Amino acid sequence: MIALLEKIIARYEKESGEGLSCGNNIAMGSLKPGMIVLDLGCGNGGETIRAAQIVAPGIAVGLDITEKLLEKGQKKAREQGVKNVVFIKGEIENLPFVGESFDVVISNCALNHARDKLKVYREIYRVLKEDGYFVVSDPVSLVELPPEIKNNEELWAQCFAGAEEESKYLRYIIDAGFTLEILKRREYEKNGYPFASLTIKGTKKRR
């Protein structure tokens, strides 16, 4: 697991977090002033800062494992005079927040890197307030990827090997306690395998 995290960090440090996107969560997130928003895998903080500008006087929190990108986000926020944004280092499978802290969770092409996606969505459920929701964009595979790909950490860091088969991915969301709606779906091919880019809205169901 440590080796995988190092490869993911190295990949995003190299690419500087620029232009890595599966969808437009800000446009589809229905963000409103006063909301508290969490951006998972926030990279260099561009979407987190835009979210903060929309929800002011609310707060946007960006979480990532890559220190260099978090520093870039902090610098951008200072340069743009955005004060209602916070950047925190942390892992998406173990969110460092108390329960029911956020109105909305967004994430753009980041959750596919997690080994345990059901745990990620259970963590999202835990930190969302009652009736809160997430808007996540992520790649999924349309067939089960073979073990030689799934076990390749280099490919996992490249938004490929970590892509879950679509029906399994959606089942994780339902099992975590959400009702779901697919807002956008685009099919494409990656390394010879059929893929889809999904933008999903999940609303926290009352227990």
Side-chain angles (χ1 to χ4, degrees):
M1 183 64 178
I2 293 175
L4 174 59
L5 289 177
E6 290 174 346
K7 289 183 183 296
I8 293 171
I9 291 170
R11 184 241 173 147
Y12 283 95
E13 285 183 343
K14 180 179 179 181
E15 300 193 26
S16 301
E18 301 288 353
L20 301 174
S21 173
C22 299
N24 189 343
N25 298 337
I26 299 298
M28 296 185 177
S30 301
L31 303 182
K32 297 179 177 63
M35 284 181 164
I36 303 175
V37 180
L38 172 62
D39 183 6
L40 296 179
C42 65
N44 63 16
E47 287 196 345
T48 319
I49 292 170
R50 289 198 295 275
Q53 292 169 327
I54 294 170
V55 302
I59 299 171
V61 178
L63 180 136
D64 205 280
I65 58 172
T66 311
E67 288 187 13
K68 288 185 178 180
L69 296 183
L70 292 172
E71 291 170 1
K72 287 187 177 185
Q74 292 165 347
K75 181 180 179 182
K76 281 185 178 182
R78 288 194 300 269
E79 291 173 346
Q80 296 179 33
V82 179
K83 298 181 179 180
N84 62 321
V85 63
V86 178
F87 291 101
I88 296 175
K89 184 178 180 181
E91 298 180 14
I92 57 179
E93 291 173 270
N94 297 285
L95 299 179
F97 309 106
V98 299
E100 300 188 356
S101 295
F102 299 95
D103 298 295
V104 183
V105 173
I106 60 174
S107 184
N108 197 340
C109 203
L111 304 192
N112 68 91
H113 292 306
R115 288 286 191 187
D116 189 341
K117 295 173 181 61
L118 176 57
K119 186 177 182 182
V120 171
Y121 279 105
R122 284 176 172 164
E123 279 289 272
I124 293 173
Y125 186 97
R126 180 181 66 81
V127 301
L128 277 172
K129 296 178 182 179
E130 189 172 286
D131 296 324
Y133 62 91
F134 71 77
V135 176
V136 165
S137 295
D138 222 16
V140 295
S141 60
L142 303 187
V143 296
E144 192 72 33
L145 297 175
E148 60 268 24
I149 291 177
K150 300 293 286 184
N151 295 329
N152 187 316
E153 291 182 343
E154 193 69 45
L155 294 177
W156 199 286
Q158 295 175 10
C159 294
F160 178 44
E164 202 72 74
E165 192 274 324
E166 182 176 8
S167 62
K168 186 182 295 185
Y169 188 100
L170 298 178
R171 173 52 56 184
Y172 291 149
I173 296 172
I174 294 169
D175 289 349
F178 293 98
T179 59
L180 68 84
E181 176 185 1
I182 297 178
L183 303 178
K184 186 175 181 180
R185 186 178 189 276
R186 177 180 64 86
E187 293 190 10
Y188 61 101
E189 185 175 288
K190 184 159 187 174
N191 297 338
Y193 289 88
F195 265 57
S197 176
L198 302 181
T199 298
I200 305 165
K201 180 178 180 180
T203 302
K204 183 174 180 176
K205 293 189 295 186
R206 299 187 184 190
R207 295 292 192 188

